[in-house]
Amino acid sequence: MTDRVVVAGAVYSGGRLLAARRSAPEELAGRWELPGGKLEPGERPEQALVRELREELGVETEPVARIPGEWPLGPGYVLQVWTARLLSGDPRPLEDHDELRWLGPDETDAVDWLDQDRPAVAEAARLLRDG
Ligand code: CDP
């Protein structure tokens, strides 16, 4: 069986990275993640990412590059991450999250990231610092 893909965005704007605090489910609530969600049937990851970021944050984004790697999320799911440029809108926690933070290059360790997001966050932070 092929694992199903969850896609998440390392959304950046003005040299800062967007972090989103999950409000559910209970075991993940309070931890921070790169926002995203599951692919729907027939969707490409980049399409799913744009849709999820629109639904969850009310913003328009453009996927830029895949962060190399793939991280297991438990049975049947893997996490893939893209960097994404904010095109328009001011992100708001419309669903799944109760707080958002823009993190500068020296602040990317300031929140309690979900374990599975940490390798991609580290790479996104490196890209932020090195341009
Ligand atoms: O919104 P949707 O139901 O499509 O997906 P989700 O609930 O946001 O994410 C599906 C699963 O992926 C959840 O178990 C999340 O914890 C996990 N996930 C993650 O581990 N890291 C992310 N950056 C995004 C989602």
Side-chain angles (χ1 to χ4, degrees):
M1 266 271 298
T2 320
D3 286 330
R4 288 188 61 190
V5 172
V6 172
V7 64
V11 179
Y12 63 89
S13 179
R16 294 177 305 164
L17 174 70
L18 187 65
R21 191 171 70 183
R22 285 197 73 102
S23 51
E26 199 178 343
E27 63 273 16
L28 303 178
R31 306 283 303 277
W32 294 76
E33 69 174 11
L34 300 170
K38 301 183 194 85
L39 263 64
E40 287 178 354
E43 246 181 351
R44 285 181 294 108
E46 292 95 326
Q47 289 176 311
L49 181 63
V50 168
R51 175 184 53 73
E52 289 282 348
L53 296 175
R54 185 182 296 136
E55 289 171 2
E56 294 186 358
L57 306 172
V59 294
E60 295 303 319
T61 55
E62 176 185 46
V64 176
R66 170 105 181 257
I67 292 185
E70 196 168 71
W71 298 277
L73 290 181
Y77 286 92
V78 290
L79 177 67
Q80 296 183 359
V81 179
W82 267 255
T83 57
R85 200 160 64 85
L86 184 65
L87 293 180
S88 66
D90 189 19
R92 288 163 293 145
L94 300 177
E95 44 179 66
D96 294 347
H97 306 110
D98 61 5
E99 195 178 331
L100 303 175
R101 269 183 75 176
W102 285 108
L103 303 173
D106 300 326
E107 298 175 312
T108 52
D109 290 336
V111 300
D112 184 20
W113 294 102
L114 290 174
D115 296 342
Q116 58 269 28
D117 282 41
R118 287 172 190 256
V121 168
E123 179 60 11
R126 195 186 67 74
L127 292 170
L128 263 192
R129 279 192 298 270
D130 300 351

